[in-house]
Amino acid sequence: MIYQFNISTKERYQLVDITDKIEDLVLKSEINNGSVFVFLPHSTAAIILTENERGLKKDWLDFAKKLVSGFNFEHDLIDNNADSHILSGLLGQGKTLPFKNKKILRGTWQQIFLFELDGPKNRTVIIQINQ
Ligand code: ZN
C-alpha cells in the first residue's frame, strides 16, 4: 500500500518529527509484519533517524550548515540552493524500517525526521508499506 501526507515547514533548515504519523499508518494498514519505506519526492530535503532532543536537533542544524559553508557552488548562480541539494543527497531522501505486530522495530532514540534543507516549503511524504 502507498500513502502520503504533507508537511509545511517554516524555517530554511528545520527538523520535523514524523514518527507518530508513520506509526499511525503502520497501525492502520492491514499488514502485521513487513517493512515501511518512507520517501521524499524532493531533492532539497532528507529523511533521517535520530533522537528527538532539543540540543541534538540544534547540533544537527549547526553541523549541516557548517558542512556546506565556504564553497562557491555553481548551482547557486541558478537558484541559490546548492547546499540544500548536496545535504539532501548526502543524508538521503528515504529510509526503510521493519515492523512486527504493527510495531516499528526502531530503537528508543531513533525517531523519524523530515530534515528540511530549503524551507519554508510544503513537502510531500510518501509511505510504502510492504509485507
Ligand atoms: Zn536547486
Side-chain angles (χ1 to χ4, degrees):
M1 291 291 290
I2 294 190
Y3 308 88
Q4 66 177 61
F5 59 84
N6 295 313
I7 297 274
S8 290
T9 61
K10 295 178 176 65
E11 308 290 334
R12 184 148 197 279
Y13 282 21
Q14 184 185 349
L15 282 164
V16 182
D17 190 333
I18 57 170
T19 311
D20 290 350
K21 290 178 186 292
I22 309 298
E23 287 185 337
D24 268 8
L25 288 171
V26 170
L27 264 179
K28 286 173 188 158
S29 86
E30 294 180 353
I31 300 171
N32 288 321
N33 304 301
S35 57
V36 54
F37 177 43
V38 184
F39 179 72
L40 295 177
H42 304 292
S43 73
T44 56
I47 296 289
I48 66 164
L49 303 178
T50 196
E51 181 181 353
N52 191 348
E53 188 275 318
R54 190 202 57 80
L56 184 60
K57 288 190 285 184
K58 183 174 184 301
D59 292 338
W60 267 106
L61 302 182
D62 292 347
F63 178 71
K65 280 173 200 158
K66 206 162 186 178
L67 207 56
V68 287
S69 66
F71 293 93
N72 286 314
F73 291 124
E74 293 270 331
H75 183 69
D76 285 350
L77 300 173
I78 298 170
D79 65 0
N80 207 31
N81 67 353
D83 59 319
S84 318
H85 289 288
I86 286 171
L87 288 169
S88 170
L90 281 174
L91 296 167
Q93 295 150 4
K95 287 273 186 288
T96 305
L97 296 93
F99 62 90
K100 187 177 176 183
N101 299 325
K102 295 188 180 286
K103 188 171 165 29
I104 295 176
L105 302 177
R106 61 183 178 82
T108 308
W109 315 119
Q110 284 179 308
Q111 278 73 49
I112 308 162
F113 283 88
L114 182 156
F115 201 155
E116 176 58 75
L117 298 160
D118 194 23
K121 279 197 166 51
N122 189 29
R123 299 299 194 175
T124 300
V125 182
I126 295 175
I127 314 298
Q128 184 181 37
I129 299 178
N130 294 318
Q131 198 150 19

